[in-house]
Amino acid sequence: MDATLTKVFIWDMDETLILLKSLLNGTFAQSFNDLKDADKGVQIGRMWENHILNVCDECFFYEQIENNNTPFLDALKQYDDGRDLSDYEFDRDGLCPPFDDLSLKKIAYRLRAIAHKYEEGLQNIFDKELLRVWDELYDMTDEYTDRWLSSARVLLEQCSSGKEVSTSSLGLASLDSADTKSEHVNILVTSGSLIPSLVKCLLFRLDNLITHGNVYSSWEVGKLQCFQWIKERFNNPNVQFCVIGDGWEEGEAAQAMQWPFVKIDLGPGSCHRFPGLSLRTLGCYLSVVYGSPSDETDEE
């Protein structure tokens, strides 16, 4: 009986899949020896901050539940009785401290509503003018960062399929051997709080590549705890994990889990950045820990 091999890619968000902090504090421009206009980077970062905060507060109940960060959207599912929320009046349900079981049920309703809005996408939240402003900001940011955002999205797509199109004579690069049944999962583990992180996924066009159920916030519990939850979730010997991020915490957590860790580097000469990081490189890191796909085929 052939077993399906699952490869789980665990991504950091800030300064990995997206750039924000390094725009705001100028470190992205500094990595280019100030050949980049740092003031323009700060301006772009502030525009993103404003969009993130506005969407959080106006559409995702952030002001109401900011002090009740959960590590993932289903964390309070036990309090959700499944009530139809189509005519529920969130502004009139009296959510306030102390956060007893009744309050937790009201928060659980909001988390379910957030999941629904995430699935619908910003096209069902923004009007035409906001969509235009959002598109222009995304394109401006992508141009300023030399296609960091769009290149990260391409690699996420390739990780989902397990294949990348190469322009070299090697043709199609793959994470798997031809004889291996496989599936690939992208998971986000961010040190930011959950609601702003979900909003960032929407604004930076990651929502069709990372489902809301695959977004974890390590804000209060730490990345190691999130990694342990993910391992328990994929409790199968035919699972391989790979962590990609720029910070020390995910690096130490990956080491504790004995998972490969790919460290992102902002430097323009690095291959561990966007554009630059490739599916082939991720496959090399996986093979160091788990062996190559050809090894698996030979063993069979």
Side-chain angles (χ1 to χ4, degrees), residues 166-190:
S166 172
T167 57
S168 73
S169 59
L170 294 174
L172 193 69
S174 176
L175 284 170
D176 312 300
S177 72
D179 300 324
T180 303
K181 292 181 180 179
S182 62
E183 62 179 1
H184 306 87
V185 182
N186 289 313
I187 293 182
L188 184 72
V189 179
T190 172

Side-chain angles (χ1 to χ4, degrees), residues 22-71:
S22 62
L23 298 180
L24 289 165
N25 63 22
T27 55
F28 181 78
Q30 291 167 14
S31 70
F32 286 81
N33 294 319
D34 293 324
L35 294 175
K36 293 277 187 184
D37 183 345
D39 290 338
K40 182 177 181 180
V42 172
Q43 181 185 13
I44 290 172
R46 286 175 178 167
M47 286 190 284
W48 279 115
E49 275 193 324
N50 289 335
H51 277 298
I52 293 164
L53 290 173
N54 287 338
V55 175
C56 282
D57 290 340
E58 294 177 14
C59 307
F60 284 75
F61 313 107
Y62 191 53
E63 279 188 302
Q64 298 177 10
I65 61 176
E66 180 178 2
N67 295 323
N68 291 87
N69 183 60
T70 58

Side-chain angles (χ1 to χ4, degrees), residues 48 51 55 121-124 126-141 199-207:
W48 279 115
H51 277 298
V55 175
L122 288 182
Q123 291 79 2
N124 291 293
F126 285 175
D127 59 25
K128 288 184 179 180
E129 177 60 19
L130 270 178
L131 286 172
R132 182 190 64 78
V133 171
W134 170 43
D135 283 340
E136 289 180 355
L137 179 57
Y138 185 95
D139 292 341
M140 181 196 308
T141 310
V199 170
K200 287 179 185 178
C201 282
L202 288 163
L203 287 171
F204 286 93
R205 303 179 181 176
L206 304 176
D207 52 302

Side-chain angles (χ1 to χ4, degrees), residues 280-291:
R280 193 182 300 275
T281 300
L282 297 183
C284 289
Y285 275 82
L286 282 164
S287 66
V288 168
V289 175
Y290 298 105

